[in-house]
């Protein structure tokens, strides 16, 4: 039995009212593992252009990189689509989920260029759809499917310089409630892992930064230079509520890859110029 490497991207599943695309990716990952697929690499968390006027919240797209029996390729794509359909935030017109699946091999230069521009400037849905058709990338669109842009970018973006984030997710019955995390354990973790993890606390404000302030499924996330340090830091936090699942993402967070050097005459709306 032969195997294929699948790169499956997801974007635009959340809203300001809830959900998180990284959670959708985590559930999809576990669904694929239960089907018998294996991870070929860490899943990717790609922060797209932060100036994009259409972003739902944090503008993160995710991609899963899986080793898949050739006979299960169609079932794998269907499984991810089902997870997205189950979990995306309904009732918000700006939430337009998209899924994209690229078969393994080197990433064509045209796709790499598209992904780079999705991180640094504004790209159009029509371009993403045309690229997907030209490169035989399977897509699924919901409510217009503008998320195909991010999904395609996530499966095409090459994470050179990168960091990691280990994320713990809440059980569904706790979504939307106050997160129960021992604050002192976060400060202690930051003290012990300083230099290997980052952005855990704001000492001036006395604020814990590993926990979000939205009603999304994320309980806490620790960002680090290595996957091992991210997991170690997360494991040092004392959670006072159940953890549903944990996933480690390789990401372009904290790399400033969204910034580009531009001359004044080259500036365009929504470009992250320096």
């Amino acid at each position: 039995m032969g195997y294929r490497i699948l790169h499956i991207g997801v974007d635009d599943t959340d809203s300001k009212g809830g959900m998180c695309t990284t959670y959708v990716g985590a559930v999809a990952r576990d669904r694929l593992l239960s089907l018998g697929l294996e991870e070929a690499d860490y899943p990717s968390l790609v922060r797209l252009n932060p100036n994009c006027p259409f972003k739902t919240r944090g503008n993160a797209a995710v991609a899963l990189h899986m080793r898949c029996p050739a006979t299960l390729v169609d079932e794998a794509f269907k499984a991810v689509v089902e997870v997205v359909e189950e979990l995306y935030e309904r009732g918000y017109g700006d939430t337009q989920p998209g899924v994209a699946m690229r078969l393994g091999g080197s990433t064509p230069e045209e796709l790499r260029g598209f992904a780079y521009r999705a991180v640094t400037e504004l790209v159009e849905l029509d371009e993403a759809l045309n690229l997907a058709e030209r490169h035989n990338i399977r897509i699924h669109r919901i409510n217009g499917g503008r998320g195909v842009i991010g999904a395609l970018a996530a499966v095409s973006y090459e994470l050179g310089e990168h960091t990691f984030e280990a994320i713990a997710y809440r059980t569904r019955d706790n979504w939307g409630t106050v997160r129960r995390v021992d604050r002192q354990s976060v400060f202690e973790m930051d003290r012990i892992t300083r230099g290997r993890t980052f952005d855990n606390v704001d000492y001036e404000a006395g604020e814990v930064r590993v926990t979000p302030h939205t009603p999304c499924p994320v309980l806490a996330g620790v960002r680090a230079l290595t996957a091992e340090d991210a997991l170690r830091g997360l494991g040092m936090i004392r959670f006072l509520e159940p953890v549903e699942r944990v996933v480690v993402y390789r990401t372009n967070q904290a790399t400033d890859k969204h910034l580009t050097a531009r001359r004044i005459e080259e500036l365009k709306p929504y470009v992250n110029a320096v």
Side-chain angles (χ1 to χ4, degrees):
M1 178 174 60
Y3 286 84
R4 304 296 300 271
I5 300 298
L6 308 183
H7 307 281
I8 308 178
V10 176
D11 191 25
D12 215 352
T13 64
D14 60 351
S15 76
K16 291 180 173 60
M19 195 38 63
C20 177
T21 297
T22 70
Y23 177 74
V24 176
V27 175
R29 166 187 174 270
D30 289 347
R31 191 78 57 91
L32 293 178
L33 291 174
S34 72
L35 287 177
L37 280 69
E38 302 171 351
E39 282 191 298
D41 198 355
Y42 289 103
S44 302
L45 191 171
V46 180
R47 293 286 177 186
L48 304 172
N49 179 2
N51 287 334
C52 177
F54 307 116
K55 67 181 182 182
T56 44
R57 196 166 66 235
N59 214 27
V62 301
L64 306 174
H65 312 288
M66 310 297 294
R67 186 170 182 262
C68 176
T71 56
L72 293 180
V73 171
D74 291 341
E75 188 173 350
F77 183 74
K78 179 182 177 183
V80 174
V81 168
E82 288 176 349
V83 170
V84 173
E85 293 274 9
E86 290 168 13
L87 294 176
Y88 84 89
E89 275 285 278
R90 287 172 166 78
Y92 294 86
D94 289 339
T95 299
Q96 299 186 20
V99 181
M101 182 174 75
R102 181 175 69 82
L103 297 183
S106 60
T107 308
E109 184 176 349
E110 187 176 34
L111 290 178
R112 292 200 306 268
F114 170 83
Y116 172 78
R117 289 191 296 107
V119 170
T120 58
E121 58 186 73
L122 200 62
V123 295
E124 299 294 336
L125 177 58
D126 283 347
E127 180 182 0
L129 297 176
N130 290 334
L131 280 173
E133 182 176 7
R134 193 151 60 243
H135 292 277
N136 297 314
I137 293 173
R138 194 179 307 185
I139 62 172
H140 181 77
R141 302 168 62 189
I142 303 171
N143 296 343
R146 191 165 52 224
V148 165
I149 296 172
L152 180 59
V155 299
S156 305
Y157 189 77
E158 295 197 341
L159 284 166
E161 183 182 1
H162 60 268
T163 61
F164 291 87
E165 183 170 5
I167 306 175
Y169 296 98
R170 317 181 77 186
T171 55
R172 185 180 288 266
D173 57 327
N174 281 321
W175 293 2
T177 65
V178 175
R179 289 170 174 83
R180 299 191 294 278
V181 176
D182 181 69
R183 284 172 45 86
Q184 190 56 43
S185 70
V186 179
F187 280 88
E188 181 67 7
M189 178 272 290
D190 183 73
R191 183 187 67 79
I192 294 172
T193 65
R194 193 170 304 157
R196 299 188 302 278
T197 66
F198 58 91
D199 204 22
N200 299 312
V201 297
D202 182 336
Y203 283 97
E204 288 188 7
E207 180 182 75
V208 167
R209 292 184 55 83
V210 298
T211 53
H213 300 289
T214 61
C216 72
V218 174
L219 178 55
V222 173
R223 299 176 178 184
L225 302 180
T226 68
E228 294 75 16
D229 284 325
L231 277 172
R232 178 172 177 250
L234 190 69
M236 295 173 66
I237 298 174
R238 184 168 175 248
F239 296 118
L240 307 178
E241 66 177 78
V243 173
E244 182 191 88
R245 70 188 77 219
V246 171
V247 69
V248 177
Y249 282 100
R250 189 195 307 268
T251 174
N252 63 342
Q253 291 175 158
T255 63
D256 286 341
K257 293 301 182 183
H258 61 292
L259 301 176
T260 58
R262 299 288 180 101
R263 300 175 65 87
I264 291 177
E265 61 268 22
E266 297 173 331
L267 294 181
K268 297 184 293 185
Y270 310 114
V271 169
N272 300 280
V274 292

